[in-house]
Amino acid sequence: MQIRHLPYADPGEPDVRSGARFLLWLGREQWAGQLAALCWALLMQLGIAALPLGVGLAVQAVVDRSGGDLAVAGVVLTLLGVAIAVGDMLLHRAAVTNWITAAARVQQLLARRTAELGAVLTRRVAAGEVMAVSTGDVERIGWFVEVLSRFAAAVLTLLAVCVGLVLYQPELGVVVALGVPVLAVAALPLLPRATRRADVQREKAGRATELASDTVAGLRVLRGIGGEELFLTRYREASQEVRAAAVRSARSWALIAAVQVVLPGLLLIGVVAYGAKLAFDGRISVGELVTVYGAVMLTQHPLRGFEEMAMAYSFSRPSAKRAARVLALSRTGPVAGTDEVPRGDLYDPVTGLLAPEGCLTAVVCGDPDAAGRLADRLGGHPAGAGAEPETSVLLGGVPLDALPLERARTAVLVQDKDPVLLSGTLRELLDVPSSGAVNPRDALAAAECGDVLDALAQASPDPGGDPMGTRITERARSLSGGQRQRLALARSLVTDPGVLVLDEPTSAVDSHTEARVAAGVRRLREGRTTVVLASSPLLLDVADRVVLVHEGKAVAVGTHRELLRDEPRYRAVVSREAEASPPEPSASPASPASPEFADIEESA
């Protein structure tokens, strides 16, 4: 796999049973690139290891005053130089390719899992952790995959040097053959402590990143309540903890690096001292001593591969563990291969909620978090990470999580409480997979986006002021919260799914606009199944039926007025008062005395 061939047509199914298994799986998937890097690394490292042989031949030729032997030594050194240059160049190319393609594979897997889970992902995994996995962790995992081949080449090179020296000069070769394995494993006792410190550093860095993400996301609220300094202090403290942990981790790795320098130096001193004695006794030649000395000195290069491998594994293992934890999340239940989109009533066995086909059903939950979890289940994502999976929602008697993802999303679309609008033109924003039955203009009108269109028309670079061609900034930050919410609603209406689930679709708009939006959604979704999770009387009053979910169970069903009159728990949630009195039957739902007039438009 070359960089120019990215992205992968199929990144594969990863082994996510553990971080180590995930790393091994990645290494196996990159076997062709690993083999190429191994060959070029062997060419380079064996060339470096053989340099002392050429130097020894040259020294001995000078001692013997042999011009022919000196010429042979020159040819040998030239060939070794060419081999080292070619091997180093192509090794760098292969190693970088392995790094980038492995990182790209992980990113594709993460993107596929994110697309499959949608907004459910950040409810199961912290947003900061998702960010850490998709950025720094991907780089560390790619680093480990890239180091694998060079580490294998280092092991083979050291083995070849030891065997070669034993055959070339047995007396000194045996000393080297006994000393090099000790040097290779000398740092192993220090690795557990260094790994633990590195894990602590990454854990603290992850918490600091999550704190920063949460602070930035809530910056507008923090400014409103004057909490910037408090959160800034918290982030400073978290940053200092990261710094202290990084210093402790660096000390451990510095000690390992020192061991990798000191012990080879001691071996070199021992070899030189023993070799000099042998040379004085006439048992070896000067050229042989220089060859052995040079070979021992150059073993430091492959020995560095052991240190780098230890660091790469220590840094990538927690990253791989986090990535595997994210990739292990999935839609539960066996996936049935069917091309048919089911139709019928939507039923949630966990809460007992029933949304009849073709009706507008409103759901009232006293707990916003419970409403979010219910919306996830209605979208075919039953909770169950780390526990027994919940029973899937049924659509026409068919479990949603047993359908292929594309079919499930065609059948049911869930608009999250905080939908995301990507940058681009309004036309691109509304260019989503749909049935084609709903025109974007009709969807915008139903969502009461007239003021949004006017604002975009004024900002349009075109002379005609076409709002559909006006570019919307990232996350639509140039618009108010209510405008963003209504644009997201229009996008959902354009999609025209079999079942549309809306979680608090009008929480950021004023009551007058909310009433018109409720009427527009009712009109546009006539004859289609729609579920609205809300507590606003303006939305509840237009629903065909209202279901009260209390403590995780559907406990009452009826119209808004019936429940307001007969069900105290419903009345307490809708009126925001524990002892609120139901309105007279003749009271208008849009009466100024209604509590929904307390809602205001969120400012930009």
Side-chain angles (χ1 to χ4, degrees):
M1 183 68 178
Q2 298 297 318
I3 297 176
R4 64 177 179 272
H5 297 146
L6 294 175
Y8 288 94
D10 180 13
E13 286 297 329
D15 186 346
V16 294
R17 288 176 290 177
S18 67
R21 290 177 182 271
F22 180 60
L23 290 174
L24 291 176
W25 176 82
L26 276 177
R28 291 197 303 269
E29 291 296 307
Q30 305 276 130
W31 69 268
Q34 296 288 345
L35 183 60
L38 174 62
C39 292
W40 298 125
L42 282 174
L43 178 62
M44 182 193 70
Q45 295 196 23
L46 290 176
I48 293 175
L51 280 176
L53 176 62
V55 174
L57 291 174
V59 170
Q60 192 62 43
V62 172
V63 172
D64 297 340
R65 297 181 180 276
S66 173
D69 291 345
L70 186 61
V72 171
V75 172
V76 170
L77 289 173
T78 300
L79 292 176
L80 290 175
V82 172
I84 293 170
V86 172
D88 192 16
M89 177 182 64
L90 295 179
L91 169 62
H92 179 74
R93 178 186 177 90
V96 171
T97 299
N98 286 340
W99 190 334
I100 293 178
T101 51
R105 185 186 298 273
V106 178
Q107 286 178 326
Q108 277 190 251
L109 290 170
L110 290 170
R112 184 172 68 181
R113 188 65 71 232
T114 301
E116 178 182 339
L117 295 175
V120 178
L121 176 63
T122 52
R123 292 197 179 98
R124 296 186 182 180
V125 182
E129 184 170 350
V130 176
M131 183 183 301
V133 171
S134 59
T135 53
D137 285 343
V138 167
E139 293 295 324
R140 295 188 185 99
I141 292 171
W143 177 31
F144 173 81
V145 173
E146 180 265 326
V147 168
L148 273 177
S149 54
R150 292 193 286 114
F151 172 71
V155 173
L156 294 176
T157 299
L158 288 176
L159 182 62
V161 168
C162 292
V163 173
L165 288 180
V166 170
L167 297 176
Y168 178 73
Q169 177 45 250
E171 291 184 89
L172 284 177
V174 170
V175 176
V176 175
L178 293 175
V180 167
V182 175
L183 300 182
V185 301
L188 289 181
L190 303 175
L191 282 178
R193 184 180 183 185
T195 301
R196 287 194 300 269
R197 289 186 171 184
D199 290 347
V200 170
Q201 175 197 349
R202 281 185 290 275
E203 182 180 351
K204 291 183 178 297
R207 286 202 297 265
T209 301
E210 185 175 349
L211 178 60
S213 301
D214 292 343
T215 302
V216 172
L219 189 58
R220 179 179 299 175
V221 177
L222 291 177
R223 287 174 176 170
I225 63 176
E228 306 102 304
E229 190 61 36
L230 173 62
F231 276 79
L232 181 59
T233 301
R234 290 182 181 177
Y235 184 72
R236 284 172 177 163
E237 293 174 353
S239 298
Q240 289 304 312
E241 291 180 2
V242 173
R243 180 195 61 79
V247 170
R248 289 192 293 270
S249 177
R251 286 173 180 167
S252 297
W253 290 111
L255 179 59
I256 292 175
V259 169
Q260 294 291 335
V261 172
V262 172
L263 292 184
L266 294 177
L267 176 63
L268 187 61
I269 292 173
V271 168
V272 170
Y274 182 54
K277 180 178 180 302
L278 295 177
F280 280 127
D281 294 342
R283 295 160 62 182
I284 65 172
S285 65
V286 174
E288 289 175 330
L289 176 60
V290 172
T291 299
V292 175
Y293 165 79
V296 174
M297 183 178 64
L298 292 179
T299 55
Q300 294 190 29
H301 186 272
L303 282 173
R304 288 288 182 182
F306 284 78
E307 178 189 353
E308 186 179 12
M309 181 63 183
M311 292 184 66
Y313 179 72
S314 298
F315 279 88
S316 64
R317 183 180 58 83
S319 298
K321 185 178 180 181
R322 282 195 293 265
R325 185 164 59 245
V326 173
L327 294 175
L329 301 175
S330 63
R331 302 171 67 235
T332 58
V335 177
T338 176
D339 292 333
E340 296 183 0
V341 178
R343 299 177 59 88
D345 298 341
L346 184 68
Y347 176 67
D348 177 22
V350 175
T351 61
L353 169 66
L354 175 66
E357 182 181 9
C359 294
L360 173 58
T361 302
V363 181
V364 175
C365 293
D367 182 3
D369 293 334
R373 292 191 295 269
L374 176 57
D376 293 340
R377 283 200 303 276
L378 294 178
H381 298 283
E388 284 296 323
E390 293 178 343
T391 305
S392 174
V393 168
L394 306 177
L395 179 60
V398 179
L400 274 184
D401 64 352
L403 293 175
L405 182 61
E406 182 180 355
R407 295 288 175 262
R409 288 189 171 169
T410 301
V412 180
L413 173 67
V414 178
Q415 178 177 301
D416 193 53
K417 186 178 300 182
D418 186 21
V420 176
L421 301 179
L422 302 179
S423 60
T425 64
L426 181 57
R427 183 176 292 106
E428 292 171 341
L429 175 68
L430 299 179
D431 185 15
V432 292
S434 65
S435 66
V438 178
N439 185 283
R441 296 285 182 179
D442 295 335
L444 290 168
E448 287 296 317
C449 294
D451 61 323
V452 182
L453 295 176
D454 293 339
L456 293 177
Q458 293 178 3
S460 174
D462 299 331
D466 181 14
M468 300 298 290
T470 303
R471 188 168 187 81
I472 299 173
T473 58
E474 181 184 1
R475 299 181 68 91
R477 298 192 185 279
S478 58
L479 303 175
S480 71
Q483 290 174 328
R484 290 196 297 268
Q485 197 172 56
R486 282 177 282 146
L487 278 182
L489 176 59
R491 180 179 59 185
S492 300
L493 293 174
V494 166
T495 305
D496 189 38
V499 178
L500 176 61
V501 180
L502 304 173
D503 188 3
E504 293 288 357
T506 58
S507 59
V509 302
D510 62 82
S511 57
H512 297 286
T513 305
E514 185 178 29
R516 294 194 295 270
V517 170
V521 171
R522 168 80 191 206
R523 181 181 64 255
L524 197 62
R525 294 289 299 174
E526 186 70 34
R528 299 177 179 86
T529 307
T530 307
V531 179
V532 181
L533 287 86
S535 59
S536 169
L538 291 173
L539 283 173
L540 301 174
D541 197 50
V542 302
D544 295 313
R545 66 201 305 268
V546 180
V547 180
L548 173 64
V549 176
H550 181 70
E551 296 182 352
K553 296 295 181 182
V555 296
V557 180
T559 66
H560 166 61
R561 294 172 184 270
E562 291 171 351
L563 293 177
L564 198 61
R565 182 185 65 243
D566 302 330
E567 179 55 60
R569 291 171 294 186
Y570 178 83
R571 188 163 56 246
V573 174
V574 173
S575 65
R576 282 84 164 178
E577 296 180 10
E579 300 297 334
S581 299
E584 294 297 327
S586 60
S588 169
S591 170
S594 300
E596 65 270 15
F597 279 90
D599 298 334
I600 59 172
E601 175 87 2
E602 179 186 336
S603 58

